[in-house]
């Protein structure tokens, strides 16, 4: 357990509504990541952060935004949810970004967009 | 485009056998290599990491790396039904790792 929590754990929402997912860590790691996981696609990086207010895009960032105002919290927002954003979302941290770079994952959020 | 390839499986082995999981990658400058285990409905869990050519053993798990062939593998000795899961290979050259799509392993009694 790397001290990572995600909320909510499950959410059902309607197309067109905004949704915010929260990732919280207790160990002050600088690097945090948001992934989505879909059958047949594996883990795909949405956005990542390398410090407070420092974020960058991953390979599937369209339709998503992130914010990091505190070291411990990394928020993922779906501006206007679409059915294609139905997925399982994982947050991850890296304790050693300058070193090996192993990642530890939160428990995930299952999002359904109807 | 950095790619990490894994056979999706399922790979089915009998209990007590050796399970061999393979992964190839395209980025020659990759430095760190990881294996994650993911049970159905759960998050990925780091089980092995390897950084230099050769073998690295940890209990029943052995990771093997061949940078010249751009190949990394995971051997699970004395496979148990509890090893049944999807195994993800991840390769890191910079701050962002690239994941394979995973291999499903089924260990049957």
């Amino acid at each position: 357990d790397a001290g990572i929590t995600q909320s909510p754990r499950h959410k059902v929402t309607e197309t067109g509504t905004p949704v915010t997912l929260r990732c919280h860590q207790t160990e002050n790691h600088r690097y945090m990541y948001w992934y989505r996981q879909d059958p047949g696609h594996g883990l795909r990086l949405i956005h990542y952060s390398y410090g407070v207010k420092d974020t960058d895009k991953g390979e599937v960032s369209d339709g998503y935004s992130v914010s990091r105002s505190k070291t411990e919290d990394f928020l993922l927002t779906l501006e206007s949810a679409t059915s294609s954003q139905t997925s399982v979302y994982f947050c991850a941290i890296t304790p050693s970004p300058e070193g090996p770079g192993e990642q530890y994952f939160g428990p995930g959020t299952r999002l359904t967009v109807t | 485009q950095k790619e990490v390839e894994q056979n999706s499986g399922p790979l089915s082995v009998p209990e007590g056998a050796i399970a061999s999981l393979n992964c190839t990658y395209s980025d020659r400058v990759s430095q760190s290599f990881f294996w994650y285990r993911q049970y159905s409905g759960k998050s990925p869990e780091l089980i092995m990491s390897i950084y230099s050519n050769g073998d690295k053993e940890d209990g029943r798990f052995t990771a093997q790396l061949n940078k010249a062939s751009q190949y990394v593998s995971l051997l699970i000795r004395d496979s148990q039904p509890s090893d049944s899961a999807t195994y993800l290979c991840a390769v890191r050259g910079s701050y962002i790792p690239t994941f394979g799509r995973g291999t499903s392993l089924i260990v049957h009694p």
Side-chain angles (χ1 to χ4, degrees), chain A residues 21-51:
Chain A
L21 309 183
R22 179 184 184 235
C23 177
H24 178 80
Q25 57 143 334
T26 59
E27 300 182 7
N28 291 321
H29 296 300
R30 196 158 57 96
Y31 275 73
M32 299 183 74
Y33 308 79
W34 275 108
Y35 290 91
R36 61 179 290 176
Q37 188 174 40
D38 306 287
H41 289 279
L43 280 166
R44 292 183 291 175
L45 182 66
I46 305 171
H47 283 278
Y48 68 100
S49 170
Y50 46 96

Side-chain angles (χ1 to χ4, degrees), chain B residues 29-90:
Chain B
V29 301
S30 299
Q31 296 295 320
S32 304
F33 306 85
F34 307 100
W35 284 99
Y36 292 84
R37 177 177 62 201
Q38 186 174 23
Y39 293 115
S40 180
K42 301 296 185 181
S43 58
E45 172 193 11
L46 180 68
I47 56 171
M48 288 290 287
S49 56
I50 188 167
Y51 314 114
S52 55
N53 281 329
D55 295 359
K56 179 181 178 182
E57 187 175 318
D58 184 359
R60 296 186 296 112
F61 298 103
T62 298
Q64 299 175 316
L65 175 61
N66 184 324
K67 289 187 178 181
S69 300
Q70 295 176 243
Y71 177 93
V72 58
S73 64
L74 178 70
L75 302 178
I76 306 175
R77 291 183 300 280
D78 188 24
S79 295
Q80 301 297 310
S82 59
D83 294 325
S84 298
T86 296
Y87 290 79
L88 306 175
C89 173

